[in-house]
Amino acid sequence: MQELIKQSFTESIHTKIAALDVLAPIVENAANIMLNALLAEKKILCCGDGLSHSISAVLANALNYKLEHERPSLPAMSLVADPMLASLLSDENQATQQFATQLRAVAQAGDVLVIISATPNSATSLRTIEAALSKDMLVVALTGGDGGEIAGLLGPNDVEIRVPSDKPIRINEVHQLVAHSICDAIEKTLFPGM
């Protein structure tokens, strides 16, 4: 069993090393888009499918509350994966609208959607991005593999942070690191010396 554990650690390290040079400038671009939106008094709205939703919640809460240091809150929120809403949207076509429905209700032009998906052909993610684009929002998409259909929806001002891996668990691990890195960069830029 130890060998399997060591193999997981090694694979995770190799995936992060492979992502480092490729993703650093893209992550910086995403952080700047989010920073500019915050400076313009816009919101950051976050969501993700499956396990990715927990990463989006961590990002929203870290922006809203703190990553490492006490500081003023930033306007960020995680769209809710609500079981009641899911039951109201009972058929599959409606269920894929869960985040899109919430986004249409609270988003304004200039807000930023951060969507995280280790499976870049997720119908829920695609419907949410379509809703964001219809509201004239910018999109920061954290994906993996070949970017899937998500990559095809993004415009020239949007950012895709595509992890160079096809394994969802490795993609999620890098997404978590990216979320922390973005929040840390924003926090230290807005509140230097804290």
Side-chain angles (χ1 to χ4, degrees):
M1 187 179 282
Q2 269 191 39
E3 286 308 311
L4 291 173
I5 293 166
K6 288 179 181 179
Q7 182 180 346
S8 289
F9 271 73
T10 302
E11 192 175 88
S12 180
I13 290 165
H14 285 297
T15 302
K16 288 174 181 163
I17 289 170
L20 176 63
D21 291 330
V22 173
L23 296 185
I26 301 167
V27 172
E28 178 184 30
N29 189 18
N32 280 324
I33 285 171
M34 294 167 66
L35 179 64
N36 290 334
L38 293 168
L39 290 170
E41 299 184 359
K42 299 299 182 181
K43 299 180 296 297
I44 309 297
L45 302 171
C46 307
C47 66
D49 59 356
L51 289 175
S52 298
H53 191 66
S54 64
I55 299 168
S56 74
V58 166
L59 175 61
N61 287 320
L63 287 168
N64 190 252
Y65 176 58
K66 70 173 186 172
L67 183 63
E68 291 190 284
H69 305 288
E70 296 295 331
R71 48 130 174 106
S73 293
L74 300 170
M77 66 179 279
S78 177
L79 299 175
V80 181
D82 185 341
M84 179 183 274
L85 180 59
S87 69
L88 289 171
L89 302 170
S90 57
D91 73 42
E92 187 175 324
N93 289 333
Q94 289 179 319
T96 64
Q97 296 288 331
Q98 180 169 336
F99 297 131
T101 299
Q102 295 172 59
L103 189 119
R104 283 196 223 35
V106 299
Q108 297 175 334
D111 288 345
V112 176
L113 170 66
V114 178
I115 189 153
I116 304 174
S117 181
T119 54
N121 292 321
S122 156
T124 301
S125 295
L126 295 171
R127 300 301 78 79
T128 306
I129 292 169
E130 289 167 353
L133 296 175
S134 76
K135 296 289 271 187
D136 200 24
M137 297 175 68
L138 291 172
V139 177
V140 173
L142 282 69
T143 67
D146 65 1
E149 292 179 49
I150 288 175
L153 283 180
L154 301 177
N157 295 321
D158 300 318
V159 175
E160 181 189 13
I161 302 170
R162 186 185 301 175
V163 176
S165 175
D166 291 319
K167 291 190 172 182
I169 193 67
R170 301 287 88 90
I171 294 168
N172 279 320
E173 290 167 352
V174 175
H175 284 171
Q176 182 72 57
L177 180 58
V178 166
H180 286 156
S181 298
I182 288 172
C183 189
D184 187 50
I186 290 171
E187 199 171 77
K188 287 179 177 164
T189 301
L190 288 177
F191 308 102
M194 288 189 115

